[in-house]
Amino acid sequence: MAGFVTNHKAFYDALSPSLPGRSLAGKSALVTGAGRGVGEHIARGLAEAGASPIGLLGLDKARIESAKERFSLEFPKTTFVAFAADIRDSDAIAAIFDNFNAPDILVNNAGIFPDEGPFVEQDLKEWFSGFETNVLGTAIVTQRFLKSPNRPKNAIVLNVVSMSAHTRFPVPGWSGYSGSKMAQARIFENIRFEHPDVRFINAHPGLLDTDGFERCGAAVPPGGMTDGRLTGGFFAWLATEEAAFLSGR
C-alpha cells in the first residue's frame, strides 16, 4: 500500500522554536496533567518556544511542585506556576482561572486509563471513571476557560487525544479509555462552531513510554516509542500561526 505521510518518532529540526515565526514569546499557557508523562513533555516544548508564564496543573501536589522546581531550573527565564487540583472539581478549576487568568494557550492533557481488563469483567463504576476525568473533567476546564471574561483574542485550545480515538486496536481492555477519548475528540469537533475565534485542535501525542502506556498493557511497537521531545515540539508548533490552518481539525 502506498504511503504519503512520513511518520516521525524522533525530534527533527523543522520543529525547532528557533526558526522564524516559531517563537511563543509573549504567550501564556496552562497545561493540565503537567507533572509527568505527556504533559511534562508538552510543558517543556512550550517553554523551549518561549511561552511564559506557564501554569502547571496536576492532581498530586508534591509531584506538580516538583515539576515546577525542575522546569524552573531548566528554564530560568520562564515563569512557572504550579496548581494542584482535580479537573473534575469545578470550584477548584474556577479558582485556578481566577488566580492565573485565562492563558493564550490551553492544553487539555490530564487523563486516565481506567480499564482493568475485558469489558465484561470490569466494575462499571471504575470503567466509567475514564469518562468522568477524560470527558467531564476536560469539559469543566474548557468551559471555565471559554467563560473567562479576560480570555485573550485568538486563544488556542490543544486537546491531547489518543491514537485509540481514531484507530481500533485488536487488544482487550481498552473500551473505557478509547471510548472516552473518542467522545472527548468529538466534543471539541462540535464546540469549535460555537467559538470560531478560538483555535481548537485535537492531536494525539504518539506512543510515549509513560505510566499510562505501561498500564494499558500494549506491546512496544516494532519501530520503537516516540521521543517526548518530538511531542513537546509538535504541540508547541500547533500554537504558532504557521499551524493556524489546522483549526477545527
Side-chain angles (χ1 to χ4, degrees):
M1 182 175 65
F4 302 97
V5 176
T6 299
N7 290 311
H8 295 273
K9 293 198 173 184
F11 185 84
Y12 52 99
D13 291 340
L15 289 177
S16 174
S18 64
L19 292 173
R22 295 293 177 77
S23 173
L24 296 178
K27 301 288 187 180
S28 58
L30 175 65
V31 183
T32 69
R36 59 180 175 178
V38 173
E40 185 172 355
H41 292 302
I42 293 175
R44 180 174 284 108
L46 293 170
E48 288 179 351
S52 184
I54 298 177
L56 307 171
L57 172 57
L59 182 61
D60 185 287
K61 181 176 175 59
R63 178 177 288 126
I64 203 66
E65 289 286 355
S66 176
K68 175 191 172 183
E69 291 178 9
R70 291 197 309 275
F71 285 135
S72 296
L73 290 173
E74 189 174 352
F75 303 98
K77 295 182 180 180
T78 303
T79 299
F80 295 96
V81 185
F83 300 102
D86 188 328
I87 61 171
R88 298 172 298 177
D89 185 338
S90 56
D91 290 338
I93 296 303
I96 288 171
F97 278 98
D98 288 342
N99 181 291
F100 190 69
N101 291 326
D104 297 285
I105 306 160
L106 170 64
V107 181
N108 285 314
N109 167 71
I112 63 171
F113 188 93
D115 297 279
E116 293 284 358
F119 171 80
V120 71
E121 299 175 4
Q122 294 199 58
D123 178 323
L124 289 182
K125 288 187 177 179
E126 291 298 320
W127 176 86
F128 194 71
S129 68
F131 288 83
E132 291 175 339
T133 296
N134 301 344
V135 180
L136 178 59
T138 299
I140 287 172
V141 174
T142 305
Q143 186 185 67
R144 179 54 58 180
F145 172 74
L146 294 172
K147 281 184 173 182
S148 298
N150 56 0
R151 171 163 53 87
K153 293 182 179 179
N154 303 314
I156 297 169
V157 178
L158 303 179
N159 188 50
V160 181
V161 287
S162 168
M163 198 180 297
S164 69
H166 312 289
T167 305
R168 286 178 293 179
F169 290 99
V171 291
W174 279 54
S175 59
Y177 179 71
S178 61
S180 64
K181 297 302 282 188
M182 186 174 184
Q184 185 190 75
R186 189 63 169 166
I187 288 169
F188 283 94
E189 289 176 358
N190 281 269
I191 63 175
R192 68 185 178 93
F193 295 112
E194 301 170 10
H195 301 275
D197 58 323
V198 178
R199 184 192 310 176
F200 291 98
I201 299 177
N202 287 315
H204 78 75
L207 293 172
L208 280 77
D209 187 9
T210 63
D211 292 346
F213 185 82
E214 181 179 353
R215 177 176 168 79
C216 80
V220 174
M225 304 296 284
T226 303
D227 183 344
R229 192 176 175 218
L230 171 67
T231 301
F234 182 72
F235 273 81
W237 174 75
L238 288 176
T240 67
E241 285 308 302
E242 191 173 282
F245 74 98
L246 289 171
S247 183
R249 294 174 171 82

